[in-house]
Amino acid sequence: MLTDHNVQSVSPELLERFHAPGSFLLLPGVEVSDRVDGRPVHLNGLGVDRDMAPQGGRDVPDAIDRNRAAIEEAGGVAVLNHPNGLLRAALGSDEIAASGIGLFEVCCADYLGGSGHPSTDQIWDAVLTGGGHVFGVAADDAHDFGADSRDPGFSWIMVRAAELTGPAILNAIRAGDFYATTGVALSSVRPLANGLCLDIDDYEVYGFRTEFIGPEGRVLLSDETREPCFRRPAPPDYVRARVQRSDGAVAWVQPVLFGDGR
């Protein structure tokens, strides 16, 4: 999937060159690029096949919500981009929670935080701990395609869809049936009634550490096997997993919510 600022990204020429039904699917998209009180508010519209103008808003949560609604009306899936990619204009977890957005970038070109700003992992846990429900997406946010650029293909999502079609992939993303990664491969993600289990499918030369994370960002269990699994008779409000490979690559697994109808 390709996106660009406020314009639909996939031309007929690109489709003719790369689209191969049954083996390679190129989906359109647009990065709706808004600004509120001097702060950038960008949302990707996955699957949107037309140009889109930013909708504005009275504040950041309102702008996120208005642009989300416009993307969904156009048949797309809305993702809040780089919440701390520009630290001088980072978005707060309270603003993200208030917007009601269902997906945000847990990994893009910048995600670790610093200088008094939280990482995207910390933002994610703050939203989830407060009762929000948001899935974490990864994208490369590539703007430089020179020979020495690290951006293209820096991070992506692995989607479990019934078939290689646009509707099937977009529906799986809406449902959170995917994981985000910078290179770690998982062969199985199994949400349970009382936990979460994974199977890591990756090169034998690497080591792995999986952290199962719960409310307030607490690490509930650290597992260094290739079949990490978290189970509790009385699980916390949520658990998600972060898999770190010994070369620095990471995978983020979507939260499983427990209790109170969550």
Side-chain angles (χ1 to χ4, degrees):
M1 184 175 297
L2 300 174
T3 63
D4 202 352
H5 294 279
N6 299 329
V7 295
Q8 193 277 123
S9 57
V10 177
S11 67
E13 292 78 16
L14 279 176
L15 283 174
E16 183 178 356
R17 182 174 179 182
F18 293 108
H19 186 59
S23 60
F24 188 87
L25 181 65
L26 183 59
L27 292 177
V30 60
E31 182 173 6
V32 182
S33 302
D34 212 337
R35 185 171 290 272
V36 178
D37 296 330
R39 301 170 65 196
V41 177
H42 294 187
L43 283 79
N44 270 343
L46 309 183
V48 174
D49 61 0
R50 60 179 173 83
D51 298 351
M52 293 197 68
Q55 301 297 300
R58 61 182 179 274
D59 53 26
V60 167
D62 186 50
I64 295 172
D65 187 51
R66 287 172 181 265
N67 285 294
R68 175 202 56 77
I71 288 168
E72 292 178 354
E73 185 177 350
V77 177
V79 179
L80 178 63
N81 292 352
H82 44 67
N84 66 355
L86 301 169
L87 290 182
R88 66 184 181 277
L91 305 181
S93 59
D94 55 339
E95 294 174 313
I96 296 171
S99 75
I101 191 74
L103 298 105
F104 89 121
E105 284 183 345
V106 68
C107 182
C108 57
D110 300 303
Y111 62 95
L112 294 175
S115 298
H117 295 276
S119 69
T120 51
D121 276 281
Q122 291 172 311
I123 291 171
W124 200 1
D125 286 311
V127 174
L128 292 169
T129 299
H133 187 187
V134 61
F135 297 129
V137 173
D140 58 23
D141 198 25
H143 288 66
D144 178 8
F145 294 89
D148 297 327
S149 175
R150 75 175 181 92
D151 290 344
F154 172 74
S155 59
W156 61 93
I157 62 174
M158 297 292 287
V159 182
R160 181 167 53 189
E163 57 186 12
L164 188 62
T165 64
I169 290 172
L170 294 175
N171 284 336
I173 294 172
R174 289 185 183 98
D177 204 356
F178 66 92
Y179 65 90
T181 185
T182 64
V184 174
L186 306 177
S187 58
S188 174
V189 176
R190 303 188 306 281
L192 307 174
N194 63 342
L196 174 63
C197 296
L198 317 174
D199 290 310
I200 300 171
D201 181 19
D202 218 316
Y203 298 106
E204 294 289 342
V205 296
Y206 293 121
F208 297 89
R209 178 179 295 111
T210 300
E211 292 182 336
F212 292 95
I213 300 166
E216 299 179 351
R218 295 191 303 271
V219 176
L220 306 172
L221 175 69
S222 182
D223 188 326
E224 297 193 2
T225 71
R226 287 179 172 268
E227 300 84 28
C229 192
F230 172 87
R231 289 188 178 93
R232 289 287 189 277
D237 287 343
Y238 75 88
V239 63
R240 64 182 184 88
R242 189 179 194 273
V243 185
Q244 180 93 40
R245 198 168 67 189
S246 55
D247 67 345
V250 180
W252 293 264
V253 176
Q254 306 309 323
V256 181
L257 308 182
F258 306 103
D260 299 328
R262 295 180 64 190

